[in-house]
PDB file of all heavy atoms in Angstrom:
ATOM      1  N   ARG F  51     -12.964   0.319   5.129  1.00 89.00           N
ATOM      2  CA  ARG F  51     -13.941   0.725   5.968  1.00 89.00           C
ATOM      3  C   ARG F  51     -13.985   2.269   6.002  1.00 89.00           C
ATOM      4  O   ARG F  51     -12.967   2.869   6.118  1.00 89.00           O
ATOM      5  CB  ARG F  51     -13.730   0.150   7.403  1.00 89.00           C
ATOM      6  CG  ARG F  51     -14.556   0.698   8.505  1.00 89.00           C
ATOM      7  CD  ARG F  51     -16.080   0.195   8.256  1.00 89.00           C
ATOM      8  NE  ARG F  51     -16.183  -1.303   8.619  1.00 89.00           N
ATOM      9  CZ  ARG F  51     -16.764  -2.102   7.844  1.00 89.00           C
ATOM     10  NH1 ARG F  51     -17.273  -1.800   6.645  1.00 89.00           N
ATOM     11  NH2 ARG F  51     -16.901  -3.357   8.209  1.00 89.00           N
ATOM     12  N   ASN F  52     -15.175   2.844   5.902  1.00 88.00           N
ATOM     13  CA  ASN F  52     -15.242   4.310   5.875  1.00 88.00           C
ATOM     14  C   ASN F  52     -15.540   4.765   7.320  1.00 88.00           C
ATOM     15  O   ASN F  52     -15.998   4.018   8.173  1.00 88.00           O
ATOM     16  CB  ASN F  52     -16.202   4.846   4.855  1.00 88.00           C
ATOM     17  CG  ASN F  52     -17.628   4.625   5.282  1.00 88.00           C
ATOM     18  OD1 ASN F  52     -18.100   4.986   6.359  1.00 88.00           O
ATOM     19  ND2 ASN F  52     -18.393   3.972   4.388  1.00 88.00           N
ATOM     20  N   SER F  53     -15.255   6.042   7.582  1.00 90.00           N
ATOM     21  CA  SER F  53     -15.298   6.578   8.897  1.00 90.00           C
ATOM     22  C   SER F  53     -16.704   6.608   9.500  1.00 90.00           C
ATOM     23  O   SER F  53     -16.912   6.814  10.731  1.00 90.00           O
ATOM     24  CB  SER F  53     -14.720   7.971   8.940  1.00 90.00           C
ATOM     25  OG  SER F  53     -15.245   8.820   7.941  1.00 90.00           O
ATOM     26  N   PHE F  54     -17.686   6.456   8.651  1.00 89.00           N
ATOM     27  CA  PHE F  54     -19.130   6.599   9.152  1.00 89.00           C
ATOM     28  C   PHE F  54     -19.707   5.190   9.411  1.00 89.00           C
ATOM     29  O   PHE F  54     -20.888   5.041   9.770  1.00 89.00           O
ATOM     30  CB  PHE F  54     -19.977   7.321   8.109  1.00 89.00           C
ATOM     31  CG  PHE F  54     -19.442   8.698   7.810  1.00 89.00           C
ATOM     32  CD1 PHE F  54     -18.902   8.999   6.601  1.00 89.00           C
ATOM     33  CD2 PHE F  54     -19.542   9.680   8.751  1.00 89.00           C
ATOM     34  CE1 PHE F  54     -18.340  10.235   6.367  1.00 89.00           C
ATOM     35  CE2 PHE F  54     -19.051  10.932   8.522  1.00 89.00           C
ATOM     36  CZ  PHE F  54     -18.479  11.248   7.340  1.00 89.00           C
ATOM     37  N   ASP F  55     -18.964   4.183   9.200  1.00 85.00           N
ATOM     38  CA  ASP F  55     -19.490   2.821   9.344  1.00 85.00           C
ATOM     39  C   ASP F  55     -18.588   2.075  10.404  1.00 85.00           C
ATOM     40  O   ASP F  55     -17.583   1.558  10.080  1.00 85.00           O
ATOM     41  CB  ASP F  55     -19.417   2.039   8.050  1.00 85.00           C
ATOM     42  CG  ASP F  55     -19.935   0.650   8.141  1.00 85.00           C
ATOM     43  OD1 ASP F  55     -20.446   0.279   9.193  1.00 85.00           O
ATOM     44  OD2 ASP F  55     -19.908  -0.066   7.084  1.00 85.00           O
ATOM     45  N   GLU F  56     -19.076   2.034  11.577  1.00 83.00           N
ATOM     46  CA  GLU F  56     -18.318   1.376  12.657  1.00 83.00           C
ATOM     47  C   GLU F  56     -18.758  -0.096  12.882  1.00 83.00           C
ATOM     48  O   GLU F  56     -18.288  -0.691  13.876  1.00 83.00           O
ATOM     49  CB  GLU F  56     -18.455   2.146  13.955  1.00 83.00           C
ATOM     50  CG  GLU F  56     -17.709   3.405  14.102  1.00 83.00           C
ATOM     51  CD  GLU F  56     -17.635   3.988  15.481  1.00 83.00           C
ATOM     52  OE1 GLU F  56     -16.901   3.391  16.317  1.00 83.00           O
ATOM     53  OE2 GLU F  56     -18.307   4.999  15.760  1.00 83.00           O
ATOM     54  N   GLN F  57     -19.536  -0.592  12.068  1.00 82.00           N
ATOM     55  CA  GLN F  57     -19.862  -1.981  12.165  1.00 82.00           C
ATOM     56  C   GLN F  57     -18.691  -2.853  11.942  1.00 82.00           C
ATOM     57  O   GLN F  57     -17.879  -2.689  11.068  1.00 82.00           O
ATOM     58  CB  GLN F  57     -20.911  -2.373  11.174  1.00 82.00           C
ATOM     59  CG  GLN F  57     -22.388  -1.924  11.515  1.00 82.00           C
ATOM     60  CD  GLN F  57     -23.388  -2.547  10.571  1.00 82.00           C
ATOM     61  OE1 GLN F  57     -23.028  -3.154   9.544  1.00 82.00           O
ATOM     62  NE2 GLN F  57     -24.636  -2.399  10.955  1.00 82.00           N
ATOM     63  N   ASN F  58     -18.569  -3.845  12.770  1.00 84.00           N
ATOM     64  CA  ASN F  58     -17.438  -4.836  12.663  1.00 84.00           C
ATOM     65  C   ASN F  58     -17.870  -5.747  11.546  1.00 84.00           C
ATOM     66  O   ASN F  58     -19.012  -5.851  11.119  1.00 84.00           O
ATOM     67  CB  ASN F  58     -17.308  -5.591  13.953  1.00 84.00           C
ATOM     68  CG  ASN F  58     -16.766  -4.811  15.033  1.00 84.00           C
ATOM     69  OD1 ASN F  58     -15.997  -3.847  14.825  1.00 84.00           O
ATOM     70  ND2 ASN F  58     -17.100  -5.092  16.271  1.00 84.00           N
ATOM     71  N   GLU F  59     -16.816  -6.276  10.915  1.00 84.00           N
ATOM     72  CA  GLU F  59     -17.032  -7.100   9.737  1.00 84.00           C
ATOM     73  C   GLU F  59     -16.268  -8.473   9.888  1.00 84.00           C
ATOM     74  O   GLU F  59     -15.251  -8.504  10.438  1.00 84.00           O
ATOM     75  CB  GLU F  59     -16.556  -6.438   8.477  1.00 84.00           C
ATOM     76  CG  GLU F  59     -16.798  -7.176   7.164  1.00 84.00           C
ATOM     77  CD  GLU F  59     -16.765  -6.313   5.944  1.00 84.00           C
ATOM     78  OE1 GLU F  59     -17.005  -5.123   6.101  1.00 84.00           O
ATOM     79  OE2 GLU F  59     -16.538  -6.892   4.859  1.00 84.00           O
TER      80      GLU F  59
END
Side-chain angles (χ1 to χ4, degrees):
Chain F
R51 174 66 76 228
N52 72 56
S53 52
F54 302 109
D55 181 5
E56 283 194 74
Q57 282 191 346
N58 292 328
E59 183 159 336

